[in-house]
Amino acid sequence: MKPPLEGELVRLRAPEPEDEPYYYQWINDPEVTYNLLARYPFTHAQELEFIAKPSSYGYVNLTIVTLGDALPIGNATLRNANPENRPADLGIMIGDRAYWDRGYGTDAMRTICRFGFEVMNLHRIELDVFADNARAIKVYERLRFVHEGRKREAHYRRGEYVDVVTMGLLAGELR
Ligand SMILES: CC(C)(COP(=O)(O)OP(=O)(O)OC[C@H]1O[C@@H](n2cnc3c(N)ncnc32)[C@H](O)[C@@H]1OP(=O)(O)O)[C@@H](O)C(=O)NCCC(=O)NCCS
């Protein structure tokens, strides 16, 4: 049986201090952060702190690496799980732009959702995405995330407001 954090193109693993230069590069890349909540520059110390925090039920933090050569290309998180309703908030970033549009994001998303349902026993995974992030929305729809709501002009980004769409996926719906 395939290990729970392994996909077809990527593997997810705990972040290590050696990943820090990659994280620093990704989270300070304006083309990457255009589609993230991140607004201010990040320091090396902040990244090391982010990497050092260990995963637990309410906070799962994973580096996405390529399956072939184990190159770090991004990060995925599941946060705020609770045992009563069993939801979690998902965040994903393929920070290395050379890997966009090559299926890595879809594979990483599928892998972390599978982990959430099969290993953590989540009932529901949700995320927020900017309404104009067509690339991400395509990935989420492909995995069967459902559009659940739209917060109008909820995020101010580089001179204008953008709507924020909430999408959700229930256990058993992942494709
Ligand atoms: C969003 C993200 C995770 C997607 O990962 P990815 O590896 O690029 O995604 P995939 O290659 O699996 O799929 C992207 C799909 O969108 C398509 N696409 C790209 N740009 C598009 C656009 N402007 N409109 C519609 N579809 C688009 C691609 O062609 C591809 O579809 P295909 O597989 O049918 O050809 C990644 O690009 C990323 O991290 N971006 C920066 C941060 C971000 O947006 N994070 C998500 C915040 S909610």
Coordinates of all heavy atoms in Angstrom, one line a residue, residues 6 8-16 18-19 22-23 26 63-74 96 99 104:
E6 N 2.4 10.0 0.3 CA 3.1 9.9 -1.0 C 2.0 10.0 -2.1 O 1.0 9.3 -2.0 CB 3.8 8.6 -1.1 CG 4.7 8.5 -2.3 CD 5.7 7.3 -2.2 OE1 6.4 7.2 -1.2 OE2 5.6 6.5 -3.1
E8 N 1.6 10.8 -6.7 CA 2.2 10.2 -7.9 C 3.5 11.0 -8.3 O 4.4 10.5 -9.0 CB 1.2 10.3 -9.1 CG -0.1 9.6 -8.8 CD 0.1 8.1 -8.6 OE1 1.0 7.5 -9.3 OE2 -0.6 7.5 -7.8
L9 N 3.5 12.3 -7.9 CA 4.6 13.2 -8.3 C 5.3 13.8 -7.1 O 6.5 14.2 -7.3 CB 4.0 14.4 -9.1 CG 3.4 14.1 -10.5 CD1 2.7 15.4 -11.0 CD2 4.4 13.6 -11.5
V10 N 4.6 13.8 -6.0 CA 5.3 14.4 -4.8 C 5.1 13.6 -3.6 O 4.3 12.6 -3.5 CB 4.6 15.8 -4.5 CG1 4.7 16.8 -5.6 CG2 3.1 15.6 -4.1
R11 N 5.9 13.9 -2.6 CA 5.8 13.4 -1.3 C 5.8 14.5 -0.3 O 6.4 15.6 -0.5 CB 7.1 12.5 -1.0 CG 7.1 11.7 0.2 CD 8.2 10.7 0.2 NE 9.5 11.3 0.3 CZ 10.1 11.7 1.5 NH1 9.4 11.5 2.6 NH2 11.3 12.3 1.5
L12 N 5.0 14.4 0.7 CA 4.9 15.4 1.8 C 5.6 14.9 3.0 O 5.5 13.7 3.4 CB 3.4 15.7 2.1 CG 2.5 16.0 0.9 CD1 1.1 16.4 1.5 CD2 3.0 17.0 0.0
R13 N 6.4 15.8 3.6 CA 7.2 15.4 4.8 C 7.3 16.6 5.7 O 7.0 17.7 5.4 CB 8.6 14.9 4.4 CG 9.4 15.9 3.7 CD 10.9 15.6 3.9 NE 11.7 16.5 3.1 CZ 12.0 17.7 3.4 NH1 11.5 18.3 4.4 NH2 12.9 18.4 2.6
A14 N 7.7 16.3 7.0 CA 7.9 17.4 7.9 C 9.0 18.4 7.4 O 10.0 17.9 6.8 CB 8.4 16.8 9.3
P15 N 8.7 19.7 7.6 CA 9.7 20.6 7.2 C 11.0 20.5 8.0 O 10.9 20.2 9.2 CB 9.1 22.0 7.5 CG 7.6 21.7 7.6 CD 7.5 20.3 8.1
E16 N 12.2 20.7 7.4 CA 13.4 20.6 8.1 C 14.2 21.9 8.0 O 13.9 22.7 7.1 CB 14.3 19.5 7.4 CG 13.8 18.1 7.5 CD 13.8 17.5 8.9 OE1 14.5 18.1 9.8 OE2 13.2 16.5 9.1
E18 N 16.9 22.6 6.9 CA 17.6 22.8 5.6 C 16.6 23.3 4.5 O 17.1 23.8 3.4 CB 18.1 21.4 5.1 CG 19.2 20.8 6.0 CD 18.7 20.2 7.3 OE1 17.6 19.6 7.3 OE2 19.3 20.5 8.3
D19 N 15.3 23.3 4.7 CA 14.3 23.8 3.8 C 14.3 25.3 3.8 O 13.7 25.9 2.9 CB 12.9 23.2 4.1 CG 12.8 21.7 4.0 OD1 13.7 21.1 3.5 OD2 11.8 21.2 4.6
Y22 N 14.6 27.7 0.8 CA 13.5 27.6 -0.2 C 12.3 28.3 0.3 O 11.7 29.1 -0.5 CB 13.1 26.1 -0.3 CG 14.2 25.2 -0.9 CD1 15.1 24.5 -0.1 CD2 14.4 25.1 -2.3 CE1 16.1 23.7 -0.7 CE2 15.4 24.4 -2.9 CZ 16.2 23.6 -2.0 OH 17.2 22.8 -2.6
Y23 N 11.9 28.1 1.6 CA 10.8 28.9 2.1 C 10.9 30.4 2.0 O 10.0 31.1 1.6 CB 10.5 28.5 3.6 CG 9.7 27.2 3.8 CD1 10.3 25.9 3.6 CD2 8.4 27.2 4.2 CE1 9.6 24.8 3.7 CE2 7.7 26.1 4.3 CZ 8.3 24.8 4.1 OH 7.5 23.7 4.3
W26 N 10.4 31.4 -1.6 CA 9.0 31.3 -2.0 C 8.1 32.4 -1.5 O 7.4 33.1 -2.2 CB 8.4 30.0 -1.6 CG 9.1 28.8 -2.1 CD1 9.8 28.6 -3.2 CD2 9.1 27.5 -1.4 NE1 10.3 27.3 -3.3 CE2 9.9 26.6 -2.2 CE3 8.5 27.0 -0.2 CZ2 10.1 25.3 -1.8 CZ3 8.7 25.7 0.1 CH2 9.5 24.8 -0.7
T63 N 6.3 20.0 4.1 CA 7.0 20.4 2.9 C 6.7 19.5 1.8 O 6.6 18.3 2.0 CB 8.6 20.4 3.2 OG1 8.9 21.4 4.1 CG2 9.3 20.7 1.9
I64 N 6.4 20.1 0.6 CA 6.1 19.3 -0.6 C 7.4 19.1 -1.3 O 8.1 20.1 -1.7 CB 5.1 20.0 -1.5 CG1 3.8 20.3 -0.7 CG2 4.8 19.2 -2.8 CD1 2.9 21.3 -1.5
V65 N 7.8 17.8 -1.5 CA 9.1 17.6 -2.3 C 8.7 16.7 -3.5 O 7.8 15.9 -3.5 CB 10.2 16.9 -1.5 CG1 10.5 17.7 -0.2 CG2 9.7 15.5 -1.0
T66 N 9.5 16.8 -4.6 CA 9.3 16.0 -5.7 C 9.6 14.6 -5.4 O 10.6 14.3 -4.6 CB 10.2 16.5 -6.9 OG1 11.6 16.4 -6.5 CG2 9.8 17.9 -7.4
L67 N 8.9 13.7 -6.0 CA 9.1 12.2 -5.6 C 10.4 11.7 -6.2 O 11.1 11.0 -5.5 CB 7.9 11.4 -6.3 CG 7.6 10.1 -5.6 CD1 7.4 10.2 -4.1 CD2 6.3 9.6 -6.3
G68 N 10.8 12.2 -7.3 CA 12.1 11.7 -7.9 C 13.3 12.1 -7.2 O 14.0 11.3 -6.6
D69 N 13.6 13.5 -7.1 CA 14.9 13.9 -6.6 C 14.7 14.6 -5.2 O 15.6 15.3 -4.8 CB 15.6 14.8 -7.6 CG 14.7 15.9 -8.1 OD1 13.6 16.0 -7.6 OD2 15.1 16.6 -9.1
A70 N 13.5 14.5 -4.6 CA 13.3 15.1 -3.3 C 13.6 16.6 -3.2 O 14.0 17.1 -2.1 CB 14.1 14.3 -2.2
L71 N 13.4 17.3 -4.3 CA 13.5 18.8 -4.2 C 12.3 19.4 -3.6 O 11.2 19.2 -4.0 CB 13.7 19.3 -5.7 CG 13.8 20.8 -5.8 CD1 15.2 21.2 -5.4 CD2 13.5 21.2 -7.3
P72 N 12.6 20.3 -2.6 CA 11.5 21.0 -2.0 C 10.9 22.0 -3.0 O 11.6 22.8 -3.6 CB 12.1 21.8 -0.8 CG 13.4 21.1 -0.5 CD 13.8 20.5 -1.8
I73 N 9.5 22.0 -3.2 CA 8.9 22.9 -4.1 C 7.7 23.6 -3.5 O 7.1 24.5 -4.2 CB 8.4 22.1 -5.4 CG1 7.4 21.0 -5.1 CG2 9.6 21.6 -6.2 CD1 6.7 20.5 -6.3
G74 N 7.4 23.3 -2.3 CA 6.2 24.0 -1.7 C 5.9 23.6 -0.3 O 6.6 22.8 0.3
D96 N 7.9 27.1 -5.9 CA 8.8 27.1 -7.0 C 8.0 27.2 -8.3 O 7.4 26.2 -8.7 CB 9.6 25.8 -7.0 CG 10.7 25.8 -8.0 OD1 10.6 26.5 -9.0 OD2 11.7 25.1 -7.8
Y99 N 7.5 24.8 -11.2 CA 6.7 23.6 -11.1 C 5.2 23.9 -11.2 O 4.3 23.0 -11.1 CB 7.0 22.9 -9.8 CG 8.3 22.2 -9.8 CD1 9.5 22.8 -9.6 CD2 8.4 20.8 -10.2 CE1 10.7 22.2 -9.7 CE2 9.6 20.2 -10.4 CZ 10.7 20.9 -10.1 OH 11.9 20.2 -10.3
Y104 N 1.8 19.2 -10.2 CA 2.3 19.0 -8.9 C 1.3 19.5 -7.8 O 1.1 18.9 -6.7 CB 3.6 19.7 -8.7 CG 4.7 19.0 -9.4 CD1 5.0 19.2 -10.8 CD2 5.5 18.0 -8.8 CE1 6.0 18.5 -11.5 CE2 6.5 17.3 -9.5 CZ 6.7 17.6 -10.8 OH 7.7 16.9 -11.5

